[in-house]
Structures are given as C-alpha cells and as structure tokens.
Amino acid sequence: FEQIINASAAIGELLTDSVNLKVVVTSRVRLNLRFESEFTLQPLEVPVGNSLSPDELGGYAAVALFVDRAQSVRSDFTLTGENSEAVAAICRRLDGLPLAIELAAVQVKMLAPKAIRTRLEKNLQILSSRAGDVPERQRTMHAAIAWSYDLLDDEEKKLFDRVSIFRGGFTLDSAEAVANADGGIDVFGGVTSLVDKSLLVSREQFDGEPRLKMLQVVREFARVNLRQSNEENAIRRLHADFFSGMAENAEIGFRGEESSEWLETIELEHDNYRAALEWTLLHEPEIAMRVTAALPEFWFRRGHLAEGCKWSRRALDEGERSTNPKILVRAFIGIGGLMWRSGDLIEAEKFYVRAVKLSREIADRLLIATSLSSLGTVKMLQGDNGKAQLFLEESFNISNEVNDKYLAARMANVLGELFRSKEDFETAKSYYEQSLSISRQESFKHVIQLACVNLSAVACSMEDYKASREYALESIKLAEKAGDDVGIGFAMERFMALAVIEGEPEKAARIWGTLEKIYESAGFRIEAVDQAFLDSYLDQAKAAIGDQNFHQARLDGRSMSATDLIAQTK
C-alpha cells in the first residue's frame, strides 16, 4: 500500500462512515489513521547454536521455508546430515528474511547448499529468480530493496546510506555523531521513518535506549551506495573517531560504579570496533592504537584475549613509528597485559621494559608508575620476587604521590599477591585490606572483586574459612554482574578449596572441570601464585577419591554451565 499511501484518507472515510467494516492492509509504512492497529511482521526464526539434527533444524520457520521453496525446483530435496548445517548458515546469513530465503532456496536447482553458502559469504548477487509470475521487484533482493529505497526522500536516503557504516547496530547518539556531523539531518525523525518503512529494525538495549540495526541484505545494499558516494572515507573517519572516544571513556568507566554497564556497552559495540580497527589500521593507525590501548580490560574480562592480542599487534606494527609517545606507552602496557594473561611472560616483559624506558624519557609520572606496576607483576609471575618488589613499591609510592587512587588500589592488591607467593599471609592480608579500603571508598568495583577474591585465598590459608566464604561470595556476585567469566573463575577457585576442606572432594573436582572450561574459552592461563594454591587442594581431592573418580567428576563439571555450578556453590 506504500505505493499509494495518499489513498489512506479514503480508507479513513470508509471506516468512519461504515459499520463493522474491517480493512487489512500490507504496507512498508503506517497509514497513520486513528483506527489503525499495527502488527509488525518479524523475520522468521533462525537456528541458533550448532550440532542440531536435521529434524531439529526443520522445526525453525526459516529452515522450513527454505526446504519448501527448494522442493519447488527439486522435488527430491530434503534436509540431511550433510546439508543441514549449510542450510542453517544460509538462513542465519539472511537474517530470516523470507524473500531472501526464497531466492536463495531456488538456487538448489544448480547448486548444493554448501555452494550457496560460500557464494553468499562473498556477495548477495546470487539472490535472484527467473519466475515469471511474480513482480519484477521480487525477482532479486536488490530490486526489492531498491523499490523501498526509491520511496525515500533525499534526506532519508542520505541517512540510510550513512548508517550502513555501523556493523552490529547503532544508537541514536552514534547516528547523530557519525551520520549527521554536518547537522543537516533530522536523525530522530529519519530513523523513525526508516523503522516505519522496515529498512531498520529497532530493539531495546539493556539501558532502555533503542538499538537500531539493518538486516544484512539491506545493509549490503546501502554499503554499495555509500561506496559509490564521495563521502565513504569521511564517514568512516567519523565512525572511528566516535568509537575511539567511547573506548577511552570506557577505560575509565571500567574502574568504577558503572563498570558492568560499560562492559556491556562495549560488548554490544564490539562489531563496530572491529570495523573501526579494520579501517584505521590502513588509514589512521594512531586511532587504532588509541583503541587498542583502551580496550585490554574489556578483552580480558569478556574472554576475547586472543582477539585483543591480534588487534594490538597489528596496531603496533602499523603505527609505532608515527604515534604520540604517550599513546605508544599505553599501547605497550595494553598489549603486555594481554600477553601475560595469555601465558606469554617473555613477550609481556619486552613490552613492559619498553614502556618503562619511554615513560621515563617523557617524564610522565603516572605512566612511569603504571609501567612499573606492569613490569613488577611480570617479574613476580616469573618468580623474581626481589626485582618485582622494587618495581611494585616504586609504583605504589608514585601512585600515592600523584594521588591516583585507582593505581594505588591496584598496586596494594599486587603487593598482596607478592607476599602471598612468599607465604607471608599477614603482610599479604594487610595489603589486600588497603586495596579493598581504597576501592570501597572510590567504588572501584573491579578492584573490590579482585581484593575480595584474594582475601578469600589468604583467609583460607590462615584457616579462617567463614571469612574465606564471605569474601568469595562478594567477589563472585560482582563478577556475575559484570559478565566477567574469568572473575567468576577466580572466585570459584576459592569455592573449590573450601569444598576440599569441607570434605566434598567430588564437588571440588566438578568445580575444577568447570573452571578449566571457563579458562580455556577465555584463553586465560592461571597465574603462578593461584596455580600453587589450586594444586595443593587438587592433590588433596585426588588423594581422597582416587584419580579415576576425580577424573569422572571433573568431566561432569565440564558438562555443566558456570551458572548451574555457581547456584550449587552458593
């Protein structure tokens, strides 16, 4: 009906003048009549996850449509163990969009589903049909989208093309900054119109704000338009600037009261960061380094260590020679943290040594303290406690001199780790309590989480099991709220030890199995001081129930979700 939208007034008159009249209208836009009730047709449900059987996949509406349309051109087509995964991937690639699925399905006359999937990964030109009994606009996806696009006014077309730069969705704020930097577009009105015309999909974010997204086939149409314009690089630059600024704000936000919200925000925007990094590595490597220097905490806490290492290395390769020295120091510190958490202490030390040297050259006291704290941490993990203590104490002193509460809290926590590794539990406890005190005053949620989990370990070693459980519970609650899988693992290590102490070695083995799965998924290597803590209790559990029973309970733990195990632990 959108082709004759002005005729909606006539429908309004009919409804006003008639009794019991009902009118069903299909349209890409609302008629905006006072009697109108809208029923939005969503894309078809697509399979999520892998390892589903052909029968299970056939229960999804998108797959069922594919099979039905495929059988119209090849009557012997059925879902099999060989082709079902490809069919599911095609439906996901096409976002469950019925016309796109129909156009893909008819290609089975010439191509196997695996071949269709391969071609779709490259482009969407395969989505076409020669059927003579459907309108021309429905014979290709390009024509179908172009038909809707041609109904837009010039301002809407410009907004539509520009927001295609976003990958994985966007917010009104990001659209305003990136697609309307020149101030010539009514973003709210334009976005509302594009949603009404089904060219954008709107969903509510965790914070209540709308999140807008283009279906993949629609986005690719708009991306072609943007590439053919003379403004693609300008829009990409605005996109990179916006998200680099967000990353630097998030780096500070990860420390405080809203750390969980910031982690969730960056997770939502992760695809946009991937897009920004791909472009900036080629065109603006200093911006790429700003992003990679700001996001290591996110990559670590949300289990993206390997990806963070990849982006950080590439950014240094492209931008090290031309980057502002302060950004370069922060980049060295960032990649060093990702490396040692991945278990590569030698590479981490190399980056930290360079960070210390450069920060001393530019005489930036805060960067000196941060670099020293990082180098001291690696030295401790390498077992060189003498040098570690020198570096960590200098960092702690500078952080107090420059009144950086966050770094002081982190340093007190790391010094606690140093003395725990020496089994000087009283000194370790004193430092952890300093860290916890500062962090509670300043609402440094992540450091509270770390200090609590470490106080739990010390209390366990000092046989104060009640305190150990209380600290572990506080830590795991904070980690759960932040979606911090590795942090959940830290707290579960303490519950594993308590299970052994309380005479439940099988429960300890199950916890260990789940821990292994969490850490493997995150790419995290257990730190030396915690490995020693764990090993002592794992050995006790094995001795209590035997290697075979321990192994079976551990496998049971690997099959459980962290959520289920946490519920049992609590």
Side-chain angles (χ1 to χ4, degrees):
F1 201 92
E2 64 273 15
Q3 292 290 310
I4 51 168
I5 197 67
N6 291 335
S8 60
I11 291 180
E13 291 173 6
L14 286 169
L15 290 169
T16 300
D17 296 341
S18 305
V19 178
N20 295 330
L21 175 66
K22 292 181 173 61
V23 179
V24 179
V25 176
T26 61
S27 175
R28 282 174 167 79
V29 298
R30 285 180 59 90
L31 276 58
N32 290 322
L33 299 174
R34 60 194 176 95
F35 302 107
E36 185 175 7
S37 296
E38 182 177 351
F39 180 83
T40 302
L41 289 175
Q42 301 295 344
L44 301 178
E45 186 182 12
V46 299
V48 291
N50 299 314
S51 304
L52 296 175
S53 69
D55 286 343
E56 290 172 320
L57 288 171
Y60 288 88
V63 175
L65 176 63
F66 184 98
V67 172
D68 180 75
R69 295 301 184 267
Q71 289 174 343
S72 72
V73 294
R74 248 192 64 187
S75 59
D76 63 341
F77 181 85
T78 58
L79 275 185
T80 67
E82 192 173 319
N83 68 22
S84 58
E85 184 181 336
V87 171
I90 291 166
C91 293
R92 284 193 291 266
R93 172 80 166 96
L94 300 176
D95 292 317
L97 200 62
L99 177 57
I101 291 171
E102 291 190 35
L103 294 173
V106 297
Q107 306 305 321
V108 301
K109 187 172 184 178
M110 292 292 294
L111 299 170
K114 288 182 181 178
I116 298 172
R117 178 180 63 181
T118 299
R119 283 166 171 77
L120 283 174
E121 291 302 324
K122 296 176 182 177
N123 61 67
L124 297 172
Q125 293 304 311
I126 193 174
L127 298 180
S128 63
S129 169
R130 296 183 179 182
D133 59 347
V134 296
E136 181 65 31
R137 66 178 182 273
Q138 292 180 12
R139 294 183 189 177
T140 70
M141 276 308 301
H142 185 277
I145 300 167
W147 185 60
S148 292
Y149 182 77
D150 289 341
L151 297 174
L152 304 178
D153 62 34
D154 289 343
E155 185 176 301
E156 289 171 335
K157 287 178 179 176
K158 184 179 287 188
L159 178 63
F160 174 78
D161 294 343
R162 288 177 176 180
V163 296
S164 70
I165 205 70
F166 295 103
R167 188 187 297 177
F170 60 95
T171 64
L172 289 171
D173 285 345
S174 57
E176 192 69 57
V178 175
N180 192 34
D182 51 11
I185 296 175
D186 172 11
V187 169
F188 183 81
V191 163
T192 301
S193 177
L194 292 175
V195 170
D196 285 344
K197 294 177 173 66
S198 303
L199 290 169
L200 286 178
V201 178
S202 178
R203 296 286 185 273
E204 189 175 298
Q205 291 188 158
F206 70 95
D207 58 1
E209 286 292 308
R211 184 164 191 83
L212 293 309
K213 187 177 181 180
M214 284 182 171
L215 298 178
Q216 186 65 18
V217 291
V218 176
R219 180 174 181 264
E220 292 196 17
F221 176 93
R223 292 287 292 118
V224 170
N225 292 345
L226 187 63
R227 278 194 292 271
Q228 292 173 347
S229 73
N230 60 2
E231 61 179 20
E232 181 183 13
N233 278 333
I235 298 298
R236 278 190 169 276
R237 174 60 190 260
L238 290 167
H239 178 270
D241 279 340
F242 177 83
F243 285 103
S244 62
M246 177 187 285
E248 288 167 340
N249 289 334
E251 183 183 18
I252 298 169
F254 293 150
R255 304 174 179 182
E257 190 76 40
E258 297 180 346
S259 61
S260 302
E261 290 81 359
W262 272 112
L263 286 166
E264 189 62 30
T265 294
I266 301 302
E267 189 74 68
L268 275 174
E269 302 295 0
H270 205 179
D271 279 340
N272 276 312
Y273 279 104
R274 293 174 177 121
L277 285 165
E278 286 168 5
W279 185 79
T280 54
L281 285 168
L282 295 175
H283 301 278
E284 298 283 354
E286 185 167 305
I287 296 178
M289 290 187 70
R290 284 172 54 198
V291 172
T292 59
L295 291 186
E297 189 78 13
F298 162 75
W299 281 320
F300 165 55
R301 292 172 66 183
R302 283 303 181 97
H304 305 293
L305 271 173
E307 183 172 0
C309 288
K310 178 194 77 171
W311 290 122
S312 299
R313 278 193 179 281
R314 289 182 61 189
L316 279 168
D317 288 344
E318 296 297 330
E320 183 176 340
R321 290 189 181 89
S322 59
T323 297
N324 177 296
K326 290 189 177 183
I327 296 175
L328 188 54
V329 172
R330 294 179 61 248
F332 286 151
I333 294 168
I335 191 171
L338 294 169
M339 296 306 296
W340 75 254
R341 286 173 170 122
S342 303
D344 193 339
L345 298 178
I346 294 173
E347 279 294 294
E349 182 182 5
K350 290 177 183 177
F351 285 117
Y352 288 152
V353 167
R354 296 172 73 184
V356 170
K357 182 176 182 293
L358 183 54
S359 61
R360 290 197 192 277
E361 287 175 2
I362 63 177
D364 188 307
R365 297 282 284 166
L366 184 55
L367 286 178
I368 291 170
T370 307
S371 304
L372 285 168
S373 75
S374 303
L375 183 57
T377 299
V378 164
K379 285 297 182 185
M380 176 185 69
L381 296 172
Q382 291 172 333
D384 189 347
N385 287 338
K387 284 186 178 178
Q389 189 167 343
L390 287 174
F391 294 143
L392 294 173
E393 286 179 346
E394 183 180 357
S395 176
F396 189 44
N397 291 336
I398 294 174
S399 66
N400 285 315
E401 288 171 16
V402 299
N403 197 33
D404 189 303
K405 300 288 189 184
Y406 181 73
L407 186 57
R410 291 293 296 257
M411 281 302 88
N413 184 68
V414 179
L415 281 164
E417 289 289 85
L418 177 68
F419 284 97
R420 180 158 72 98
S421 70
K422 298 178 180 182
E423 297 189 358
D424 182 349
F425 299 126
E426 286 290 353
T427 305
K429 180 183 177 185
S430 174
Y431 273 116
Y432 290 145
E433 287 174 343
Q434 283 187 63
S435 176
L436 186 59
S437 176
I438 296 169
S439 299
R440 288 202 195 284
Q441 290 171 16
E442 304 294 329
S443 294
F444 297 146
K445 294 292 186 183
H446 184 51
V447 188
I448 294 172
Q449 177 187 322
L450 292 174
C452 281
V453 82
N454 290 328
L455 278 164
S456 175
V458 163
C460 194
S461 298
M462 297 174 75
E463 300 184 2
D464 186 350
Y465 304 128
K466 181 181 177 184
S468 180
R469 180 174 294 278
E470 288 173 354
Y471 281 127
L473 280 171
E474 182 173 358
S475 183
I476 206 166
K477 286 175 183 176
L478 289 169
E480 278 186 283
K481 185 177 179 183
D484 181 351
D485 288 344
V486 176
I488 289 170
F490 291 162
M492 286 172 65
E493 290 176 15
R494 290 22 174 183
F495 285 118
M496 192 210 77
L498 289 168
V500 174
I501 290 161
E502 293 163 356
E504 298 182 275
E506 288 189 3
K507 179 178 179 181
R510 286 197 300 274
I511 294 174
W512 175 238
T514 309
L515 270 173
E516 283 185 313
K517 185 170 66 173
I518 289 173
Y519 290 156
E520 285 168 12
S521 175
F524 175 72
R525 300 288 183 87
I526 301 171
E527 298 163 29
V529 63
D530 276 328
Q531 189 66 66
F533 176 85
L534 283 168
D535 286 345
S536 65
Y537 292 103
L538 288 170
D539 290 343
Q540 292 178 53
K542 289 175 186 175
I545 58 175
D547 286 349
Q548 187 172 349
N549 289 334
F550 180 91
H551 178 67
Q552 184 57 54
R554 171 178 154 270
L555 289 178
D556 291 343
R558 289 186 70 90
S559 68
M560 296 177 69
S561 71
T563 303
D564 291 340
L565 195 58
I566 290 167
Q568 291 184 29
T569 300
K570 290 177 180 177

